[in-house]
Amino acid sequence: MTLAVRVIPCLDVAAGRVVKGVNFLNLRDAGDPVELARKYYEQGADEITFLDVTATVDNRSTTYDVVRATAEQVFIPLTVGGGVRSTEDVAKLLAHGADKIGVNSAAIARPALIGEIADRFGAQVLVLSLDVKRKGGQFIITTHGGRTDTELDALEWARDAIDRGVGELLVNSIDADGTKRGYDVELISAMRSLSRVPVIASGGAGSVGDFAPAVAAGADAVLAASVFHNGELTVGDVKHALAEAGVVTR
């Protein structure tokens, strides 16, 4: 059975507004998250991913309000990530309408968090967000929106996290992010070869022709931000292009 490939618009949210940039730099305002989420839902998005890119304590209450308002408008799965450090954070986001939770930095700092969340809420709730870049011939994990390199091998970390109970991998290429030159198919392929959970490709979408190669490389879902926010593409455009390439979508 071939599972349908999901098309997922991503909202990077700072202080209650959607922002966008290139390689995580020079962020600029892209609108109201609730309005954008509703627009993408109406266009046929399969899910919405919502990343709080400045998840400091002062913005936390804003985030909960925005998540609740979005969940009330959008009747597809909503994944929320950014600043999740405990099972209590997860419980609160789920209570505000999130369906899945993305973890990143906190899981790197304390890998046991993955098992704690998976044990309490189930693996299907947990998405591991990986910000990956090339360095010295290997894929490494970065933190702080791609600004800080770690010593972690991205493929080893993904494997470890799956063993600990992660239900999906959101694989974001820092090298490709915002460049609009296409997804990093080599990275997607490497992740697919080791992963027994779904792989979401992120970073680099610039045209309708960029999505099918990501799927061919092994992506179960394709995520994009700026091409949707800028109005260059609709979710329908992407699904049409995938269908023409023989890819089953929802």
Side-chain angles (χ1 to χ4, degrees), residues 20 37 48 82 85 91 105 116 133 136 138 146 148 152 156 180 189 220 228 232-233 236 246:
K20 57 177 183 274
I48 299 284
R85 296 183 184 90
S105 305
E116 291 165 12
K133 81 178 195 187
Q138 71 178 104
T148 307
L152 269 182
E156 287 173 15
K180 304 196 179 174
S189 176
D220 299 278
F228 293 136
E232 292 159 55
L233 297 177

Side-chain angles (χ1 to χ4, degrees), residues 101-188:
I101 305 299
V103 294
N104 188 336
S105 305
I108 294 168
R110 196 172 70 81
L113 176 64
I114 294 171
E116 291 165 12
I117 295 171
D119 289 347
R120 181 168 166 188
F121 303 103
Q124 77 286 344
V125 159
L126 190 54
V127 180
L128 181 73
S129 187
L130 305 115
D131 291 328
V132 182
K133 81 178 195 187
R134 286 178 166 75
K135 188 176 183 183
Q138 71 178 104
F139 292 115
I140 64 154
I141 292 291
T142 67
T143 60
H144 301 89
R147 291 188 292 277
T148 307
D149 294 357
T150 71
E151 299 297 306
L152 269 182
D153 178 287
L155 303 179
E156 287 173 15
W157 171 231
R159 198 178 276 121
D160 179 33
I162 293 166
D163 289 342
R164 289 175 181 273
V166 156
E168 276 188 307
L169 302 178
L170 197 176
V171 182
N172 187 41
S173 167
I174 296 298
D175 300 317
D177 178 72
T179 62
K180 304 196 179 174
R181 290 198 290 267
Y183 291 95
D184 187 333
V185 292
E186 187 189 348
L187 172 59
I188 296 164

Side-chain angles (χ1 to χ4, degrees), residues 14-102:
R17 300 289 293 176
V18 176
V19 294
K20 57 177 183 274
V22 177
N23 302 114
F24 281 86
L25 301 171
N26 304 319
L27 299 179
R28 61 187 194 279
D29 189 275
D32 175 69
V34 182
E35 284 173 24
L36 283 172
R38 181 164 184 86
K39 181 172 87 171
Y40 300 143
Y41 165 63
E42 288 170 350
Q43 285 179 6
D46 299 302
E47 297 185 11
I48 299 284
T49 291
F50 191 103
L51 298 177
D52 185 344
V53 294
T54 55
T56 50
V57 175
D58 55 316
N59 283 329
R60 262 284 152 249
S61 55
T62 311
T63 302
Y64 291 128
D65 292 343
V66 175
V67 169
R68 172 172 280 152
T70 304
E72 286 168 356
Q73 296 282 322
V74 171
F75 305 100
I76 49 178
L78 179 62
T79 300
V80 181
V84 173
R85 296 183 184 90
S86 68
T87 56
E88 289 312 307
D89 290 341
V90 174
K92 194 160 183 185
L93 283 166
L94 293 174
H96 279 76
D99 298 286
K100 294 191 264 189
I101 305 299

